[in-house]
Amino acid sequence: MEILIPLVVIAAIVVFVISLYNRLVTMRQRVREAWADIDVQLKRRWDLIPNLIETVKGYAAHERQTFESVTQARAAAITAAQSGSPEQRAQAETALGAALVNLRAVAEAYPQLQAVQEFKDLSENLRDTEDKIAFARRFYNGNVRDYNTSIQSVPTNILAGMFGFTAEQYFEMTDPAQREVPKVSFS
């Protein structure tokens, strides 16, 4: 009986440690899955942008600077996706969003463009994609919050440190200027 009690305690500790470890692995996988969801939506937006630009170009050929800024912002966002941290990606995507606001403003200045079905479809797809990106960001950040809280809480933090679980970055804007509404000017 004296041997049985220590074995039961050791077995309970082992089960507890395995349970905590598996929970951390599951949470880390959810963060990675949420990140992949963001990637899918951002790629969808990147794919829509050239078509939208070409459609608007036909009606507003003299707005070259706007088209170039959207194209450059798109290229920067794709580059940040390949080599950037969530913070760098958020900055690049925010710049792209601001450039798209300017493109939409150009499109609004041409009522005949608003009647073109292709433009309507592209605009609706882009709006839908923007909503999905916002949801994917919230979902990702929620998973990061839960994961980071878990690896910083006792007793999980001990196990997390032993097995190399590290905090994940939020996908957020860090520059306060990026949170402001972009100013649109046609001068």
Side-chain angles (χ1 to χ4, degrees):
M1 187 69 159
E2 290 179 23
I3 295 177
L4 188 59
I5 292 174
L7 289 176
V8 169
V9 170
I10 290 172
I13 291 171
V14 167
V15 167
F16 178 72
V17 168
I18 290 171
S19 170
L20 284 179
Y21 180 83
N22 287 341
R23 183 170 165 252
L24 287 173
V25 168
T26 299
M27 293 176 89
R28 183 173 56 193
Q29 287 306 107
R30 285 183 184 152
V31 167
R32 290 177 180 167
E33 176 188 17
W35 186 253
D37 289 345
I38 289 173
D39 274 342
V40 167
Q41 296 309 322
L42 292 177
K43 172 130 178 38
R44 182 175 178 212
R45 177 167 72 173
W46 301 337
D47 291 346
L48 287 170
I49 290 170
N51 295 329
L52 189 62
I53 288 173
E54 288 303 315
T55 302
V56 176
K57 265 186 185 177
Y59 289 86
H62 63 283
E63 302 287 354
R64 196 176 114 219
Q65 183 178 358
T66 301
F67 303 134
E68 287 175 1
S69 69
V70 172
T71 302
Q72 290 169 355
R74 177 181 178 264
I78 291 171
T79 300
Q82 295 167 350
S83 61
S85 67
E87 182 180 342
Q88 292 167 327
R89 289 187 72 180
Q91 290 174 352
E93 291 300 332
T94 299
L96 178 56
L100 287 173
V101 167
N102 289 337
L103 181 64
R104 286 188 196 113
V106 167
E108 287 174 8
Y110 296 88
Q112 68 274 28
L113 178 59
Q114 301 295 322
V116 174
Q117 188 61 41
E118 181 183 10
F119 176 77
K120 287 180 182 178
D121 292 344
L122 287 168
S123 294
E124 183 61 34
N125 279 330
L126 189 58
R127 196 173 10 263
D128 181 48
T129 300
E130 295 293 335
D131 290 343
K132 289 178 180 178
I133 290 169
F135 174 78
R137 283 180 174 176
R138 285 190 304 272
F139 183 70
Y140 171 78
N141 285 338
N143 278 301
V144 168
R145 178 203 58 228
D146 294 345
Y147 173 73
N148 288 348
T149 300
S150 184
I151 65 170
Q152 294 170 5
S153 300
V154 175
T156 313
N157 63 340
I158 297 166
L159 187 67
M162 287 175 28
F163 288 104
F165 289 90
T166 57
E168 295 287 340
Q169 287 183 329
Y170 288 101
F171 193 43
E172 62 187 352
M173 295 175 279
T174 55
D175 181 5
Q178 291 176 331
R179 296 174 198 257
E180 295 176 15
V181 177
K183 304 223 180 338
V184 178
S185 172
F186 297 107
S187 45

